[in-house]
Amino acid sequence: NTATAFPVVFHDESNGLLDDTGAFTYNPNTGTLVTPNLTVSGTTTTLNTATLTVEDQNIVLNYNASSDTSGSADGAGITIQDAVDASNDASLTWHASHDKFVFDHTLQIDNTNGANALVVNNDKVDANAIDILAENTTASVIDINAEDLTTAHAISIDCDSLTTGRVFSADVDDALTTSATKSLMLIDYDKSGVTASGQSSITTGLYIAMNDAATNDASGTVENYGVSVIIDAASDQGTIKQRGFYASL
């Protein structure tokens, strides 16, 4: 009966029966060998199979049942051979000295299920939720393409517990000694659409709304500044021009 999984039994050198439970079976029709538990010992295990299916929901790497394996954990991960070409693999590995995973190629998230594409839950109050170490010189560090955006915000930030911090902070230590023209913040708005008859197009380059809705104590002091500009120069040599606000209309 080729549809039957036949039991595989083992005998010792004296032909004594070692296993007759029938748990170890072989089906010659499908070429399927079934064993309830399998332990492979050695340095190399090779699987020549088109599809690998694992029922267990967790795969443990760098495992040893009786000793600490943290010393060999660096570099543990998954490697795809020839992912780019015959000379370039792709991998996800563990960087032990920094306690982090490392992708050696670009990570792309394609979101089609309606949930947030990327969620970062940072429970460490003294660590950056996202830390970018960039060596960019001619390309943007962060590039957002939101050409279909209509009524939402490209960037939305809630800072309800802010005290001495800043919602945005740009720290530029300029050590240039040659000519350069730069902007610390640039808003480039180009309107090409023709506003139709009876329609209104209202655009504000910088809109600041600060509303104090609290009932403050009579002895309290509240100071709100829509814009505060402090400009100083340590040297009076050369030609120095300083403007707190400059508009060209």
Side-chain angles (χ1 to χ4, degrees):
N1 185 359
T2 57
T4 301
F6 295 98
V8 179
V9 296
F10 297 90
H11 296 262
D12 59 18
E13 294 180 353
S14 61
N15 204 30
L17 185 63
L18 297 178
D19 181 14
D20 62 352
T21 63
F24 191 23
T25 63
Y26 175 71
N27 189 328
N29 185 47
T30 61
T32 303
L33 185 67
V34 178
T35 177
N37 296 288
L38 178 64
T39 300
V40 179
S41 298
T43 58
T44 302
T45 301
T46 302
L47 299 177
N48 293 320
T49 178
T51 303
L52 175 63
T53 302
V54 180
E55 182 178 342
D56 198 329
Q57 69 269 28
N58 186 39
I59 299 175
V60 179
L61 305 178
N62 197 45
Y63 172 78
N64 189 292
S66 58
S67 63
D68 179 8
T69 61
S70 59
S72 59
D74 188 62
I78 299 174
T79 298
I80 303 174
Q81 179 180 326
D82 302 340
V84 179
D85 52 44
S87 302
N88 292 280
D89 301 337
S91 64
L92 165 62
T93 56
W94 177 250
H95 198 304
S97 62
H98 293 88
D99 289 341
K100 62 183 63 176
F101 284 103
V102 177
F103 288 88
D104 68 347
H105 284 75
T106 301
L107 175 64
Q108 178 173 324
I109 300 175
D110 293 326
N111 181 24
T112 59
N113 61 8
N116 294 326
L118 178 64
V119 177
V120 178
N121 291 323
N122 182 30
D123 294 328
K124 299 191 67 175
V125 298
D126 58 349
N128 296 326
I130 298 177
D131 189 12
I132 300 176
L133 301 176
E135 298 181 2
N136 303 50
T137 56
T138 58
S140 301
V141 175
I142 298 177
D143 186 13
I144 300 176
N145 187 334
E147 294 181 352
D148 296 330
L149 191 67
T150 55
T151 59
H153 309 294
I155 299 176
S156 180
I157 302 176
D158 290 330
C159 299
D160 295 338
S161 300
L162 195 66
T163 55
T164 59
R166 297 171 176 86
V167 178
F168 294 100
S169 178
D171 183 8
V172 180
D173 298 319
D174 192 344
L176 290 176
T177 59
T178 57
S179 299
T181 301
K182 64 183 75 69
S183 298
L184 301 185
M185 180 177 289
L186 171 65
I187 300 176
D188 184 8
Y189 171 76
D190 300 311
K191 182 182 181 303
S192 59
V194 177
T195 303
S197 175
Q199 303 298 310
S200 297
S201 177
I202 302 174
T203 302
T204 303
L206 179 62
Y207 177 75
I208 300 175
M210 304 178 67
N211 301 307
D212 186 355
T215 303
N216 303 302
D217 188 88
S219 61
T221 300
V222 176
E223 296 184 19
N224 292 325
Y225 303 92
V227 177
S228 178
V229 179
I230 300 175
I231 299 178
D232 191 15
S235 173
D236 59 359
Q237 299 184 77
T239 301
I240 299 176
K241 296 181 180 180
Q242 296 176 328
R243 298 183 179 93
F245 176 79
Y246 175 77
S248 177
L249 304 175

